[in-house]
Amino acid sequence: MFLHIWKGSYPALWASNPDWQIFYDSYFQTYLQRDVRTLSGIYDELDFVKFVRAVAARTGQQLNYNSLSKELGISQPTAKSWLSVLEASGLVYLLPPYFNNRLKRLVKSPKVYFTDTGVCAFLSRWMTKEALETGAMSGPMLENFVIIEILKSYRNRGIEPQLYYLRDSDGRDRSFDQRERKTLPN
């Protein structure tokens, strides 16, 4: 399973078996040049690359704009703007928290996931399957893989899922579809 997580879901990687690092380096450079620079007007490429790598290192975690902005020396509005570019271009998926009060859902932090685990592994510099499988990110990458596979299963059927994560009183998370909410304790 970790081979699939590390390698990612792009068919070209599985069909012709190109060099993984060269493939993702080319993919990311094309993404920066075509999607980011052209569509969003972001010209500070070095800071943006650092930002994307920092987000990749936080996959499966609650998004903390304050932490990101302090670590990278950028403003919180810049971090929010750049994350919206990643989300709009389909590179990341933000999983909102579940609350009974809809207003609270808007102000609490989502969890961030990359739509392709291979891109995430490349950006967070897990250069081999073995390093990823035995490293500190194995759990979050597995979680990322599961959430994105669930997301893809809905979208492939033409359904936009209402997925959320639930944090219990012990600080543990649980992801679920809105249709499951009747099974959750009040």
Side-chain angles (χ1 to χ4, degrees), residues 109-134:
S109 296
K111 290 178 81 173
V112 64
Y113 297 99
F114 273 72
T115 54
D116 186 83
T117 54
V119 171
C120 186
F122 170 77
L123 290 170
S124 52
R125 297 185 174 126
W126 293 100
M127 300 314 225
T128 67
K129 172 195 86 82
E130 294 77 20
L132 178 61
E133 187 172 12
T134 60

Side-chain angles (χ1 to χ4, degrees), residues 54-132:
V55 171
R58 289 167 170 79
T59 193
Q61 297 179 20
Q62 281 185 306
L63 198 52
N64 185 331
Y65 290 107
N66 187 37
S67 169
L68 272 172
S69 61
K70 282 183 179 178
E71 179 182 329
L72 300 169
I74 60 174
S75 68
Q76 284 190 34
T78 298
K80 289 179 181 181
S81 172
W82 287 357
L83 192 70
S84 70
V85 169
L86 296 179
E87 187 178 21
S89 64
L91 197 63
V92 299
Y93 173 72
L94 300 179
L95 181 68
Y98 179 80
F99 290 97
N100 287 331
N101 179 342
R102 286 188 171 266
L103 191 55
K104 284 186 179 178
R105 190 176 306 144
L106 298 175
V107 295
K108 296 292 182 176
S109 296
K111 290 178 81 173
V112 64
Y113 297 99
F114 273 72
T115 54
D116 186 83
T117 54
V119 171
C120 186
F122 170 77
L123 290 170
S124 52
R125 297 185 174 126
W126 293 100
M127 300 314 225
T128 67
K129 172 195 86 82
E130 294 77 20
L132 178 61

Side-chain angles (χ1 to χ4, degrees), residues 132-143:
L132 178 61
E133 187 172 12
T134 60
M137 287 289 291
S138 63
M141 288 295 281
L142 179 61
E143 179 181 337

